[in-house]
Amino acid sequence: MQAVASSPRFVAVPRRLVRLHRPSDAVVWFWSTLVVYLAVALYVTLIAHSEGLGQDGVSRVAIANRILFSRDPHLAAVGFVWSPLPELVLVPLVALKSLWPALVQEAFAGNIISALFMAGAAYQIFRFLEEVGVRRWLRWVLTATFAFHPMIVLYAINSMSEAMFIFFLLLVARHLQRWLRTHEMSALASTAFYLAALYLTRYEAMAAAAAVVVIVGFATYVGTRRPTAQRVRATLLDCVIVVAPFATAFVLWAFTSWLITGTAFQQLSSAYGNTAQLQSRGLSTSLTLGQELGAVNQAMHWMLALEPFLPVVVSACVVVVVWRRDWIALAAPAVLGAVLAFMFWAQVTGSVLQLLRYFIVVIPLVILMVGVTLARRTTPAPTPATAVVAGWRQRAMKWSWVSGRALAVAAGVVLMSLSIPAGYRAVMDPTINVGYATALQALENRGQLTLAERWASLRFVTDHTVSQYVDSLHLARGTVLVDDFLGFVIVMSSSNTEQFVITSDRDFQQVLADPDANGVRYFLVPSEQALGKLDAINRAYPGAYVNGGGIGTLVKQFNDVSDSGTNWRLYRTTPTS
Amino acid sequence: MKNAARKPRQSGARYATAAQPGVETAQRSEVEQAAALAEAVDGLRVRHPDLSASRVLTQAQGLVLLGLALACVLGFVVAPVPTGVLLSGCVAAIYVLVFVSDVAVFRRLIHAPHIVEVTDEEACAIPDNELPVYTVMIAAYHEPEVIATTLRSLAALDYPAHLLDIKLLLEADDEATRAAVRAALPAPNVDVVLVPPSHPRTKPKALNFGLLRARGELVTIYDAEDRPEPLQLRRAVVAFSRAAPRVACLQAKLEYHNPHQNLLTSWFAIEYLSWFGFALPAIAGGDTPVPLGGTSMHMRRAVLEEIGGWDPFNVTEDCDLGVRLYRMGYRTEFLNSTTYEEANSDAINWIKQRSRWYKGYAQTWLVHMRHPRRLWHELGGRGFCGFNMLVGATTLTALLNPLFWVLTLTWFFAHPPFIQSIFPTWVYFPGLASMIAGNFLACYVDLIVIRAAGRPGLIRAALLAPVYWLLISVGALRAFLQLLISPFFWEKTAHGLDRSQAAEAEA
C-alpha cells in the first residue's frame, strides 16, 4: 500500500511539495516512540509511584542535583566512579527543578532522558535498516520489534544509562558501516566521535572501540593497493583517526579523576567502585571453574530469554553474508557483538554483578542481523559454491509456489514478532530480571501485592521518610553529615539540600574528621549490611550505626520497609573535647 | 582518453610580443615611468584611502585602543580583581567563539567542501583560438639562485605562447637577479619589467607596477620558486567560463614539494594541505571572505583593476585582497590544480615569514575594521563574524596562546591564588573546555587532512603538531612587536633552501 501511495504514477500532487511537509519515516519513529515511552514513564513514576525500577538511574539524578543545588555546587561533584555523560545530560533538566520539583524529587528528569535516547535508538535502527537496503514495510516491522521489546521499553522508562549506551553504540555501528561502503571522511570522523561519547556513557565502550579499530585497520590494510610500508602507515593513520577522540576522552577522564581524587581509575579502586561493591556483597572477584560454568550457563540462558532466536538469526546472517561475500555487512553486528562478548566474559569471570541488563545489546544486535540478512542487495559474485546453490534453488523453485526470499522474509517477521512475548516473559521473571521483575509485577498487580512486590515498589520510601523528618527539623546550612553514596535519595528528595554535608563537597573529608567542630549537628548512617559497609561514616567511625561511633547520640531510627535492607539512623553529634 | 601529456608549445618566436623577447623593458620615458610608479604605490591610497594600510591606525581606532589600554591600567589600579575577571572573561569568550566557528568549519571540512574540478580532457578540449590572453606575473627580488628554475616551470605551462603574457618583475637595483635572468635566456614571451627602486619595497607594489602593463584578460601570479601544474591556466579558463560572473578569483591549491626534508617542512606541508585543500574552501562555503594565497590566484583583470589592485602597504596583500574582493561583492572559488612551492626548512627563516603573515593579518584586520558597521553591511552578519574569526581572532589567539599555556601550567604546579581569583568558575570551565577541545580539534583536522589528501607519511608530524603551534606563537609575538616598530617592513623569505631543488637547479 505504501509502495502504491508513493509511486509517482498514482500521485497527482507534486511530490516535492509533499516531501517538504512530511517528515521521514525515521523521524516519525523517533517522535512516536518518544511519546509512548514518556507516557509509560509518566504513569510508572508519577502516577503509580513505582520506585523499584530506577535504582542507578535515580542516583544519576541525585548526582546532577548535587552538581547544581548542593551546599557546594561544582562540576566535579559529578564523581569519578562512573562515566560522566549520563549525569551531565541531566544537568539542564535538573536546572528546571524550581519549575517542576518532580523532575528531581521523583527523579523524573532521568526518565525523560532515557526515553529520549531510546527513541533516538529507534531512529538509528530505522536509519540503519534503510541504509543497508531493507524494504520499507520490513523496516517498520523490525523497528517496531526493537522499540516495543519489553526489555527496551523498560530501559526507555527507568532512567538507566542503557538507552544512551545503545543510542551511541548504534550510531557508531551505523557510521562505521557507512565508512566501509563509501569511504567518506565524515563517516570515519563521526564513528570516532560517537565512540568517544560511548566511552563517556559506559565503560563497556572499550570493547566496541577495540572492535572498531580492528575492523578499520583490517579494511584499510586490505583495501590499500600500495607498497607495504605505505600500507602500514595508511592503516595506522586510519586507526589513529578512529580512535583518537576515544583515547582523548579516556585520558582526559582518567587525568581529571587523578587531578581531583588522586586516582585515575576510580571505578576499579574507589571505595564505592565495582570491585568494592562486589566484595561488600560477599561476592568473590575470582570464580572457581564450577562457578564459571554456572555463569556461562546463566548468561546463555539470559540471552536466549531475551532473544530466543539468537542462534537462528546468527547462523542465517552468517550464511547469507558468506553467500553474498559481502563482509562489510558484518561490521555493524560485529561492533555490537564485541560489547556483548565483553559483558559475557565479565559475567563469566565474575568481574561484574550478574544482571540481565548487561545483555540488553542482544536485542539491537538481533535486529541488525535480521536486517542484514533480509536486505535487498546486489547479486553475489559468482563462485563455484554459489553456482551450486543457485542450481539447487532453481530446482527447488519448480516445486514451490512462493519464492525462497518471500519465505525467508515471512520467517523473519514471525520470529521477530515472537521475540516480544518471549521478552515479556523474561522481563517479568524474578529469576532472570533480578531486582526489576518484582517491581514490574507489583505494577501489574496493583491493589493485591505480595510482600515482595510491595517491598519492591516501596524501594525508596524509607529514604523519603528520613528526608521529610530531617526537613521538619528546619536545620541550618551544612549541619547534617551524610554519605550520599547510599543516601542519595535522602538528599535528592529533600527540599533543603544545602543542609547536608555530602561526599562530593570539597571539605567533606575535613568535616568527616571532626564533624562537631565543623558545624555539623546531626549525621545519618545506614546499617552496616551489604553496601552499608562502604558508607564513609561507617568506615571512619567503626560502629557509627550501632552506637554512634563515639561521636553521637541516637535521635531516631528509620526501619526499612522495602527490600533494600538498609535501615537509617539519625544521630546528634556530641561535642568533642 | 588521456592527452594530459600534451607537449608545451615552444614556438614563441613566431608570435613576437610587443616587447623585445627576453629583454629588459625599462625603456619607457622617465615621465611614464614615474607616473606608473606613483600609480603602483599610491593608486589605492588615493582612490580608497579607507582601504589602504598606509596608515596603521585611524585616529578613531587609536583613540579606542588608547582608551581601552588606559581603562585596563586604571582598572588594575583601582579594582584589580574585577578587571582581571573582566579581561579573562572576554578572552575566554573569544576562545569559545573561535572554537564554535572551528567546529562549524570542521563540519563543512569533513563533508568534502566545494572545489572546482576541471578534468584534463576538459582543460585540453578548448581550442587555442578561444583562449584569452593570460598574464602571468612573477615578482622576484634577490632570487638569483632560483630564477632559472622559475623560467623552466613557466615554459612548462601548457598555454599558447602568443597568448601567454609573462611579466618577470625585477627590482631595477637587484643586479644579481637581473644577471641571472640574462644568463638563463628567457623565452621570447617573457617580458622583464624593471621596477624602479622606491618605498615601500614590497611585492604588491611590484605587482601593481606589472599590472599596469598586463595585457591578459586573466591574470595570475606566481612566486619565484613555484612549480605550477602545467594545465593550471587552461583549467582556470574553463572554470571561469563556467563560473558565475561574480566569481572573480580562483585560488589553486598550494602544496610543498619538500614535505619530508625535515620536521618543520612536514608541519608546514600539512598546514598548506589543510589550508588550501580543505579549510579555505570550507570557510568560503560558509559565505565568509577568505584570504587568498600569495601565489596561484587567478583573477579577471578587469575586476582586479576595479577593486584597486594590491595594497602595497599591506605585508599580506593576498589576505587583504581576498577580503576586499568580497566586500565589493565578488567571490572566490577554489580550483583543483596544484602549484608546488618550497617549504621553509629553516626555523629562523620560517619565523620571519610567519611574523610577516601575522603582521599582515593584523594590518588587514585594522584596515577593514575602520568602519565596523559598514563592514557588517557589506559582508553580512556571517561574513562579518567569519572575517573577525579568521583574520582577527587567529592572530589574537596565536599571540595569547602561550600566555594561557603558561597560566595553566603555573596553576597546575603552584596554585597561586591570583589565578584562581581572576578565573571564576564561569570563566574557567568554558575556557578550559575550549582549550582542550580546540587543541584536540586542531590536531584532529591535521589527521583528517593528511588522510583525505592521501599523505599518510606525514602522520608523525601531524601528531607532533602542538610543537609547531609553539613556533607559530613565537611568530605572532614577533609580528606584534614589529607592527609597533616597523609596520611596512617586508621581511623577505629566503628561497632555495631545499637542497634537492638547488641540486636540480645546478644540474
Side-chain angles (χ1 to χ4, degrees):
Chain A
M1 228 166 56
Q2 292 291 356
V4 172
S6 61
S7 144
R9 278 180 296 156
F10 297 92
V11 180
V13 228
R15 274 163 56 81
R16 283 185 58 194
L17 284 181
V18 177
R19 277 245 183 98
L20 276 180
H21 292 100
R22 214 185 60 190
S24 75
D25 286 4
V27 173
V28 168
W29 267 104
F30 172 77
W31 287 108
S32 45
T33 47
L34 181 62
V35 167
V36 171
Y37 293 154
L38 280 180
V40 178
L42 205 66
Y43 170 76
V44 170
T45 312
L46 299 183
I47 298 173
H49 296 286
S50 174
E51 297 193 311
L53 298 178
Q55 301 188 359
D56 294 4
V58 175
S59 83
R60 294 215 158 85
V61 179
I63 288 171
N65 187 46
R66 78 185 186 196
I67 290 175
L68 289 181
F69 297 110
S70 65
R71 188 176 67 101
D72 176 19
H74 61 293
L75 196 57
V78 70
F80 295 91
V81 177
W82 309 117
S83 311
L85 207 55
E87 287 89 4
L88 292 180
V89 293
L90 280 165
V91 168
L93 273 180
V94 166
L96 304 175
K97 179 178 168 179
S98 56
L99 295 178
W100 189 14
L103 279 178
V104 173
Q105 287 173 6
E106 308 258 1
F108 194 59
N111 303 89
I112 296 178
I113 292 294
S114 60
L116 260 174
F117 278 100
M118 201 59 99
Y123 173 92
Q124 296 303 335
I125 289 271
F126 196 93
R127 290 295 306 276
F128 178 87
L129 296 174
E130 201 169 49
E131 285 169 10
V132 298
V134 174
R135 297 165 185 75
R136 190 172 178 216
W137 69 268
L138 194 54
R139 262 182 264 157
W140 278 71
V141 172
L142 291 179
T143 310
T145 51
F146 168 79
F148 300 122
H149 190 290
M151 187 71 177
I152 293 295
V153 177
L154 175 60
Y155 282 86
I157 61 157
N158 73 353
S159 69
M160 303 285 285
S161 58
E162 261 70 13
M164 242 176 121
F165 184 70
I166 294 178
F167 174 74
F168 285 124
L169 189 59
L170 286 170
L171 270 168
V172 168
R174 221 191 99 201
H175 286 286
L176 177 67
Q177 164 110 355
R178 189 160 70 83
W179 179 72
L180 290 168
R181 294 250 185 251
T182 64
H183 283 97
E184 286 170 27
M185 275 324 288
S186 61
L188 192 61
S190 305
T191 311
F193 281 102
Y194 291 126
L195 207 51
L198 192 69
Y199 176 72
L200 294 177
T201 305
R202 288 273 288 268
Y203 297 129
E204 291 98 300
M206 303 220 214
V212 168
V213 170
V214 168
I215 292 170
V216 167
F218 183 75
T220 305
Y221 191 80
V222 171
T224 311
R225 302 258 171 272
R226 283 194 190 173
T228 312
Q230 289 187 33
R231 239 175 149 185
V232 169
R233 264 192 232 117
T235 308
L236 184 68
L237 178 58
D238 278 355
C239 291
V240 168
I241 287 177
V242 84
V243 89
F246 172 90
T248 308
F250 181 90
V251 170
L252 270 182
W253 184 235
F255 180 71
T256 317
S257 171
W258 172 79
L259 207 62
I260 292 175
T261 68
T263 35
F265 297 101
Q266 288 241 309
Q267 66 276 28
L268 301 177
S269 57
S270 159
Y272 307 111
N274 188 51
T275 318
Q277 287 205 24
L278 283 171
Q279 281 163 356
S280 74
R281 291 181 198 217
L283 299 172
S284 163
T285 46
S286 55
L287 304 183
T288 63
L289 182 64
Q291 285 171 316
E292 281 184 359
L293 288 177
V296 170
N297 184 30
Q298 188 185 46
M300 300 291 276
H301 177 61
W302 283 358
M303 280 197 277
L304 289 177
L306 287 176
E307 285 293 351
F309 305 107
L310 179 68
V312 180
V313 172
V314 171
S315 349
C317 184
V318 169
V319 166
V320 166
V321 165
V322 171
W323 152 256
R324 290 180 185 152
R325 308 218 297 169
D326 179 21
W327 309 111
I328 291 176
L330 276 185
V335 174
L336 272 67
V339 172
L340 198 62
F342 173 73
M343 288 324 292
F344 189 89
W345 171 84
Q347 292 265 293
V348 169
T349 53
S351 321
V352 291
L353 292 174
Q354 299 195 335
L355 293 172
L356 181 64
R357 65 187 174 94
Y358 290 144
F359 295 102
I360 194 171
V361 175
V362 75
I363 300 164
L365 172 66
V366 162
I367 303 283
L368 296 195
M369 291 188 113
V370 173
V372 165
T373 313
L374 299 182
R376 284 184 293 201
R377 274 258 155 249
T378 48
T379 44
T383 62
T386 52
V388 171
V389 179
W392 293 346
R393 211 171 80 181
Q394 279 211 325
R395 258 168 281 156
M397 289 287 278
K398 285 185 194 155
W399 301 98
S400 67
W401 49 274
V402 283
S403 76
R405 173 158 297 213
L407 262 180
V409 170
V413 169
V414 171
L415 293 189
M416 292 325 294
S417 55
L418 284 177
S419 73
I420 289 191
Y424 184 76
R425 264 189 43 203
V427 165
M428 298 302 275
D429 184 342
T431 63
I432 295 177
N433 196 8
V434 185
Y436 292 92
T438 337
L440 284 171
Q441 283 168 354
L443 209 57
E444 202 180 48
N445 312 330
R446 294 185 74 199
Q448 35 185 335
L449 302 182
T450 65
L451 195 58
E453 289 168 5
R454 221 190 58 191
W455 278 358
S457 67
L458 295 175
R459 173 67 43 84
F460 298 123
V461 166
T462 318
D463 307 74
H464 286 303
T465 317
V466 176
S467 167
Q468 278 162 12
Y469 180 80
V470 176
D471 281 0
S472 73
L473 299 176
H474 300 289
L475 298 170
R477 193 166 178 278
T479 50
V480 185
L481 181 66
V482 59
D483 180 352
D484 64 350
F485 169 62
L486 276 186
F488 61 94
V489 177
I490 298 176
V491 178
M492 183 183 83
S493 57
S494 163
S495 52
N496 177 17
T497 47
E498 293 191 9
Q499 66 190 318
F500 298 105
V501 177
I502 54 176
T503 332
S504 63
D505 291 347
R506 279 166 284 195
D507 56 358
F508 180 77
Q509 288 305 331
Q510 183 198 333
V511 176
L512 182 66
D514 190 353
D516 188 67
N518 286 288
V520 168
R521 294 292 160 264
Y522 295 89
F523 61 91
L524 280 161
V525 270
S527 49
E528 284 177 276
Q529 319 109 320
L531 293 180
K533 284 179 218 150
L534 304 182
D535 183 89
I537 305 177
N538 274 332
R539 278 186 286 132
Y541 300 97
Y545 175 77
V546 183
N547 53 23
I551 55 161
T553 49
L554 184 65
V555 177
K556 194 167 168 61
Q557 161 138 2
F558 303 89
N559 283 327
D560 179 44
V561 293
S562 75
D563 58 354
S564 75
T566 304
N567 300 328
W568 284 93
R569 280 182 173 181
L570 178 69
Y571 280 93
R572 174 190 283 280
T573 50
T574 46
T576 44
S577 51
Chain B
M1 274 248 304
K2 283 228 164 176
N3 52 355
R6 281 168 50 136
K7 283 264 156 53
R9 284 140 213 260
Q10 300 279 8
S11 49
R14 275 202 287 139
Y15 315 99
T17 47
Q20 282 285 311
V23 172
E24 295 174 354
T25 54
Q27 327 80 342
R28 306 212 169 181
S29 76
E30 295 238 331
V31 180
E32 263 180 344
Q33 191 87 328
L37 190 62
E39 172 62 25
V41 174
D42 292 326
L44 185 71
R45 176 155 68 168
V46 170
R47 259 173 302 217
H48 302 284
D50 272 352
L51 294 175
S52 160
S54 56
R55 265 189 310 168
V56 178
L57 292 173
T58 60
Q59 202 174 18
Q61 281 178 322
L63 285 176
V64 168
L65 285 180
L66 193 68
L68 283 176
L70 280 179
C72 282
V73 171
L74 201 67
F76 274 117
V77 171
V78 178
V81 171
T83 312
V85 170
L86 188 72
L87 276 182
S88 68
C90 289
V91 173
I94 291 173
Y95 273 104
V96 170
L97 283 176
V98 168
F99 175 66
V100 169
S101 79
D102 283 354
V103 169
V105 170
F106 177 72
R107 289 181 55 110
R108 282 196 293 272
L109 181 147
I110 58 169
H111 287 103
H114 174 64
I115 292 179
V116 181
E117 297 280 349
V118 177
T119 62
D120 294 354
E121 288 78 13
E122 290 166 332
C124 297
I126 297 200
D128 287 0
N129 56 10
E130 286 176 26
L131 289 170
V133 175
Y134 219 122
T135 297
V136 175
M137 298 201 283
I138 301 101
Y141 182 42
H142 290 323
E143 312 262 14
E145 309 86 10
V146 290
I147 208 74
T149 325
T150 313
L151 291 171
R152 244 177 293 147
S153 307
L154 292 175
L157 284 173
D158 182 352
Y159 210 80
H162 69 292
L163 296 174
L164 196 55
D165 168 34
I166 297 179
K167 300 276 186 249
L168 194 53
L169 311 171
L170 307 179
E171 297 285 323
D173 56 358
D174 178 11
E175 280 304 335
T177 314
R178 285 174 66 179
V181 171
R182 278 194 296 271
L185 299 173
N189 59 347
V190 175
D191 179 11
V192 180
V193 179
L194 293 182
V195 184
S198 74
H199 278 282
R201 199 174 276 249
T202 59
K203 174 173 145 192
K205 184 197 70 181
L207 293 174
N208 280 342
F209 195 79
L211 184 63
L212 291 170
R213 296 203 189 170
R215 297 184 295 122
E217 188 184 315
L218 298 177
V219 178
T220 190
I221 56 175
Y222 291 118
D223 277 351
E225 86 285 12
D226 283 0
R227 299 179 194 172
E229 181 238 350
L231 281 175
Q232 192 171 89
L233 302 186
R234 285 178 164 268
R235 285 192 219 274
V237 169
V238 176
F240 270 122
S241 71
R242 290 184 197 157
R246 68 175 191 158
V247 175
C249 178
L250 288 166
Q251 172 68 53
K253 283 186 189 174
L254 300 182
E255 282 185 31
Y256 289 126
H257 57 70
N258 58 336
H260 297 290
Q261 191 184 344
N262 59 29
L263 193 56
L264 185 63
T265 62
S266 298
W267 281 327
F268 210 178
I270 296 175
E271 193 180 22
Y272 256 38
L273 276 178
S274 160
W275 191 238
F276 291 102
F278 299 88
L280 286 185
I283 290 166
D287 218 13
T288 304
V290 279
L292 304 174
T295 100
S296 309
M297 31 94 45
H298 301 260
M299 286 194 68
R300 303 185 200 269
R301 182 164 62 104
V303 175
L304 189 53
E305 285 167 355
E306 178 201 330
I307 67 168
W310 289 270
D311 181 353
F313 295 96
N314 192 314
V315 295
T316 50
E317 78 295 341
D318 39 6
C319 171
D320 172 69
L321 191 67
V323 179
R324 186 139 39 88
L325 264 179
Y326 199 98
R327 286 186 77 167
M328 304 215 172
Y330 294 104
R331 292 295 174 267
T332 301
E333 287 191 349
F334 292 82
L335 182 65
N336 192 10
S337 169
T338 305
T339 300
Y340 285 93
E341 299 202 274
E342 180 198 334
N344 218 320
S345 54
D346 174 67
I348 300 299
N349 200 15
W350 182 93
I351 286 176
K352 285 182 179 172
Q353 184 185 35
R354 188 53 56 123
S355 61
R356 170 167 72 74
W357 289 357
Y358 276 126
K359 185 166 78 173
Y361 265 47
Q363 276 185 322
T364 307
W365 187 79
L366 287 169
V367 164
H368 292 280
M369 285 297 280
R370 282 174 185 169
H371 305 284
R373 210 178 307 165
R374 196 197 302 167
L375 186 70
W376 178 290
H377 179 71
E378 287 172 4
L379 296 183
R382 286 179 75 169
F384 181 84
C385 297
F387 166 75
N388 275 290
M389 285 297 124
L390 188 67
V391 180
T394 305
T395 317
L396 186 67
T397 51
L399 201 58
L400 290 176
N401 281 339
L403 176 69
F404 280 84
W405 279 112
V406 168
L407 279 179
T408 311
L409 291 178
T410 317
W411 171 245
F412 273 128
F413 291 111
H415 281 276
F418 84 92
I419 294 188
Q420 186 160 24
S421 67
I422 62 168
F423 286 97
T425 318
W426 57 271
V427 174
Y428 173 70
F429 273 112
L432 187 71
S434 61
M435 180 178 95
I436 293 169
N439 284 310
F440 172 78
L441 194 66
C443 239
Y444 200 63
V445 165
D446 286 353
L447 290 171
I448 295 268
V449 162
I450 60 172
R451 171 67 175 87
R455 308 285 279 276
L458 293 168
I459 181 169
R460 190 173 64 109
L463 292 173
L464 291 174
V467 184
Y468 185 60
W469 305 338
L470 213 69
L471 283 179
I472 288 182
S473 288
V474 175
L477 192 65
R478 199 163 172 277
F480 178 70
L481 298 176
Q482 271 202 4
L483 190 65
L484 299 178
I485 300 162
S486 58
F488 313 121
F489 174 61
W490 181 293
E491 200 136 32
K492 178 79 182 68
T493 312
H495 293 130
L497 297 172
D498 175 15
R499 283 167 311 236
S500 65
Q501 193 199 18
E504 190 187 310
E506 274 167 31

